[in-house]
Amino acid sequence: TQLLEQSPQFLSIQEGENLTVYCNSSSVFSSLQWYRQEPGEGPVLLVTVVTGGEVKKLKRLTFQFGDARKDSSLHITAAQPGDTGLYLCAGDSGTYKYIFGTGTRLKVLA
Amino acid sequence: DTAVSQTPKYLVTQMGNDKSIKCEQNLGHDTMYWYKQDSKKFLKIMFSYNNKELIINETVPNRFSPKSPDKAHLNLHINSLELGDSAVYFCASSLPMGSGANVLTFGAGSRLTVL
């Protein structure tokens, strides 16, 4: 069974701090995605990484795909209250089956 | 315009009842999914349909029966509801595999509470 473990599970930080969320698996994925989910809504895609070692930046968010395509990280610089939400990584096994990570709940305090 | 819409958003019912959740997408996608999100926010795939054909059934009890009348709709019918069925159910859609790195577009979810 493919599993994606995220850490930390919960994170509460002050506005302006930096943070990193990790997404780890023993399985190889053809691509990996990061989603953010807000209360009462469905997850919304932030980024897709495809190539091992790939780094993508989205304003203050930096995403990295591991060289072996088994893990990924999300780094947020100078977090803001608007970054609060549930962050989910999702691995694409290439067979219409996206495996979601265990989730990281982030709260950024003003 | 809502890309993936689910109804109802909230559903409260008694154990043993039968209920349905409807999903429609206007994105022109060929592939649709049902995911279940539990109280710990873990999102697990239940079913996937590609152009009205079932391609993934992730060991879901046969009390759950998806139906896709056309590729824009994927409904979920649940028989004999149990307490453990309480969760938020998300419908999603995407382009078919082989279309490049795929993106899942989710609906807003349907919160099912079984009493």
Side-chain angles (χ1 to χ4, degrees), chain A residues 3 11 26 30 33 35 53-54 63 93 97 102:
Chain A
L3 284 173
L11 193 53
S26 57
S30 56
Q33 299 173 342
Y35 291 79
E54 183 177 2
F63 305 84
S93 62
K97 191 172 166 180
T102 47

Side-chain angles (χ1 to χ4, degrees), chain B residues 18-111:
Chain B
D18 303 338
K19 290 293 177 187
S20 292
I21 306 171
K22 295 186 176 181
C23 179
E24 175 181 4
Q25 53 96 2
N26 62 6
L27 297 167
H29 289 164
D30 285 345
T31 308
M32 295 185 73
Y33 310 78
W34 278 109
Y35 277 85
K36 179 181 180 180
Q37 188 171 49
D38 62 24
S39 57
K40 294 184 180 179
K41 304 298 184 185
F42 184 60
L43 202 58
K44 187 171 181 197
I45 190 166
M46 300 173 68
F47 301 102
S48 175
Y49 270 71
N50 184 54
N51 206 6
K52 301 190 297 176
E53 286 190 24
L54 178 67
I55 47 176
I56 291 176
N57 179 344
E58 195 62 12
T59 61
V60 178
N62 58 15
R63 297 183 296 104
F64 290 79
S65 50
K67 282 191 173 53
S68 183
D70 55 63
K71 70 176 191 178
H73 294 84
L74 180 61
N75 304 322
L76 183 65
H77 187 76
I78 315 170
N79 289 326
S80 303
L81 279 156
E82 300 177 357
L83 292 176
D85 297 332
S86 294
V88 182
Y89 292 85
F90 285 97
C91 177
S93 71
S94 72
L95 290 169
M97 286 292 147
S99 306
N102 234 330
V103 175
L104 289 172
T105 303
F106 283 87
S110 297
R111 181 178 290 277

